[in-house]
Amino acid sequence: MELITIELRPRLRSCTVFLFMQRSISLDKVQIKLLEASIVLLIGENVTSIILPNIKIVPTSLSSLSVVDRWVCFRLHTQPSDSEFGSFQREVITDTKAQFNILESKRKIIKNSKCTILCMCCKNVFCNELYFQRVLPFPNIDFDPSEWFCSKNDIDFASLLHPNELDLFYGPYFSIINSNIFYNYKKNKKDILCNRCLLNVGLEDKGNSFKIWDCCIDYKLETDEIIIEEASNPLHDFITIIKSFISNNTFGEIILECLLTKQSHYIVIKPMDMRLGILTEGNVKCNNDKINLKETFVIKVLYKYGTDKMILPKDCINAKNYEVSLSIIEAGFNYLLLSTKRFPKDYKTIEDYYIGYINIE
């Protein structure tokens, strides 16, 4: 077997099993036997036991068996569980938001240490050595500055978040800096490009400032020794955005956009299961034809990619837009495509959306 994916739904007392074999097989060559704690798969003379941890199977519950090419798919029922997610003997509604360990992805630059900003790709130098005197977290993207003050008279809220030359404000996947400290770049309308490798490192922001994508830069820190710190990476930033959204929303859709001058790119993501337990072949341990699986929690999503500017319907009130770098969109899309490989053809798509997983642990 190349891929094993078992979706666990203890509240419904059911599991959906997707097995991707090394070669094509036919239905008459496959036999499946359900035991209380394992699935026994017989293909010809080969016998394999797949151990399901912490699950009690109903041995007579096999249904919806399908064998197509290299795929074996079926469903089974489980016995009631006393876990917080499973029992019909009691209903325990837990706040799953508190279980998402959303770590701040931005590494704080040491205050008052010499720092130089470099292009992640070619190491082109974007600024002179600086002592950033204020390194502060940027407020939530949905902030309303007018809520910060009791008196709203004679306050220019727009100017509150304009950095001075020795300021660096950082968000979950970007940094805001004063444009006067930045050089060795080309500007294509609002896009900021490295003038050596033409990597898109950010965009022009309001008030004489640049929004720089963390995954496109490195920081050269000079303390007792010279250290080059990777500010972030595209996949980490992609997952950080998804976690941030689901920690504040129970439904809706996420739109990641990169509005380049020549062409726009976007991914639309619609969460279906916010916290779905799955068993996979990750860290498979085979012992005498027995396979032990790894359990993890994921978000099951619908997603699609496009290259035109995304236009939201007027009645769409639950969508959240994030303007991001092209690197984040590419990394996120490739990550989702890998998870889609876990589904057979008939389960891969719904209308014009693909189905995938995003690991939240």
Side-chain angles (χ1 to χ4, degrees):
M1 269 174 284
E2 291 190 9
L3 297 174
I4 302 172
T5 308
I6 302 177
E7 295 184 349
L8 310 175
R9 290 185 170 83
R11 286 186 182 275
L12 301 178
R13 300 185 190 176
S14 72
C15 297
T16 305
V17 182
F18 303 108
L19 306 177
F20 187 56
M21 316 306 292
Q22 293 181 342
R23 58 181 64 88
S24 296
I25 55 176
S26 58
L27 180 60
D28 60 336
K29 297 290 181 65
V30 177
Q31 296 183 51
I32 298 173
K33 182 179 181 181
L34 301 183
L35 303 179
E36 190 174 78
S38 64
I39 300 169
V40 180
L41 185 66
L42 298 90
I43 301 177
E45 297 181 354
N46 297 322
V47 180
T48 304
S49 294
I50 303 173
I51 310 300
L52 276 62
N54 305 318
I55 294 172
K56 293 182 179 180
I57 301 172
V58 177
T60 58
S61 64
L62 179 67
S63 65
S64 303
L65 176 62
S66 171
V67 179
V68 179
D69 295 329
R70 297 166 63 183
W71 287 98
V72 177
C73 310
F74 55 92
R75 293 179 180 173
L76 57 87
H77 291 170
T78 59
Q79 298 180 27
S81 167
D82 287 330
S83 72
E84 61 178 342
F85 290 104
S87 177
F88 280 107
Q89 298 173 0
R90 62 181 181 181
E91 282 295 311
V92 180
I93 307 299
T94 60
D95 182 9
T96 57
K97 292 180 182 179
Q99 300 178 43
F100 297 139
N101 186 18
I102 302 177
L103 299 177
E104 188 177 279
S105 61
K106 178 73 177 177
R107 293 183 181 180
K108 292 183 179 179
I109 301 173
I110 302 173
K111 187 176 180 180
N112 294 328
S113 65
K114 287 185 179 181
C115 175
T116 306
I117 300 175
L118 310 177
C119 173
M120 178 275 297
C121 183
C122 68
K123 306 308 177 189
N124 190 17
V125 177
F126 288 136
C127 70
N128 295 319
E129 289 182 351
L130 295 171
Y131 285 98
F132 282 116
Q133 295 181 359
R134 292 201 304 169
V135 181
L136 302 173
F138 200 77
N140 186 288
I141 298 173
D142 300 318
F143 77 98
D144 181 1
S146 64
E147 296 178 355
W148 296 354
F149 303 94
C150 296
S151 173
K152 298 179 174 58
N153 297 326
D154 301 323
I155 297 176
D156 182 5
F157 296 116
S159 65
L160 293 174
L161 299 179
H162 296 166
N164 298 319
E165 292 190 7
L166 296 180
D167 294 343
L168 186 146
F169 302 153
Y170 61 89
Y173 56 93
F174 60 85
S175 297
I176 305 292
I177 62 172
N178 191 293
S179 60
N180 291 335
I181 69 170
F182 220 66
Y183 61 85
N184 284 341
Y185 69 91
K186 295 177 64 175
K187 191 161 69 170
N188 186 3
K189 294 188 177 178
K190 70 170 186 175
D191 298 329
I192 306 301
L193 312 176
C194 172
N195 67 359
R196 181 185 294 174
C197 67
L198 300 182
L199 176 68
N200 188 312
V201 298
L203 51 87
E204 190 174 27
D205 205 35
K206 300 175 182 177
N208 198 34
S209 59
F210 288 164
K211 177 183 282 188
I212 304 300
W213 309 125
D214 287 342
C215 60
C216 297
I217 60 170
D218 291 332
Y219 292 108
K220 181 180 178 182
L221 305 178
E222 296 192 22
T223 52
D224 294 336
E225 57 182 346
I226 297 176
I227 302 172
I228 295 181
E229 290 277 0
E230 180 186 67
S232 186
N233 68 73
L235 181 56
H236 182 275
D237 288 347
F238 170 77
I239 294 175
T240 296
I241 293 170
I242 304 302
K243 286 183 176 181
S244 175
F245 176 84
I246 64 172
S247 68
N248 296 296
N249 299 273
T250 55
F251 62 93
E253 61 185 65
I254 309 160
I255 301 172
L256 305 184
E257 289 185 296
C258 178
L259 305 177
L260 299 178
T261 301
K262 293 183 178 180
Q263 188 178 43
S264 298
H265 303 261
Y266 70 86
I267 299 179
V268 180
I269 298 172
K270 296 184 177 182
M272 294 192 295
D273 292 303
M274 287 294 199
R275 186 173 170 83
L276 174 66
I278 63 171
L279 300 174
T280 66
E281 78 290 345
N283 298 327
V284 166
K285 295 181 180 179
C286 298
N287 184 17
N288 297 326
D289 298 322
K290 292 183 179 180
I291 300 178
N292 295 301
L293 303 180
K294 175 186 177 182
E295 183 175 8
T296 188
F297 288 95
V298 299
I299 310 166
K300 190 173 184 179
V301 300
L302 300 173
Y303 70 94
K304 67 178 177 180
Y305 165 79
T307 55
D308 296 322
K309 182 174 174 57
M310 183 67 183
I311 300 176
L312 292 175
K314 293 182 179 180
D315 59 349
C316 185
I317 60 175
N318 296 316
K320 175 62 182 172
N321 282 65
Y322 297 88
E323 189 168 5
V324 300
S325 71
L326 181 58
S327 300
I328 291 178
I329 288 181
E330 290 174 340
F333 186 55
N334 290 331
Y335 175 85
L336 287 166
L337 284 176
L338 284 176
S339 69
T340 301
K341 291 182 178 180
R342 293 191 170 276
F343 298 99
K345 182 179 179 180
D346 292 341
Y347 291 81
K348 283 182 187 291
T349 59
I350 296 179
E351 296 180 348
D352 58 340
Y353 285 84
Y354 285 93
I355 299 175
Y357 297 130
I358 299 174
N359 195 315
I360 57 175
E361 292 190 331

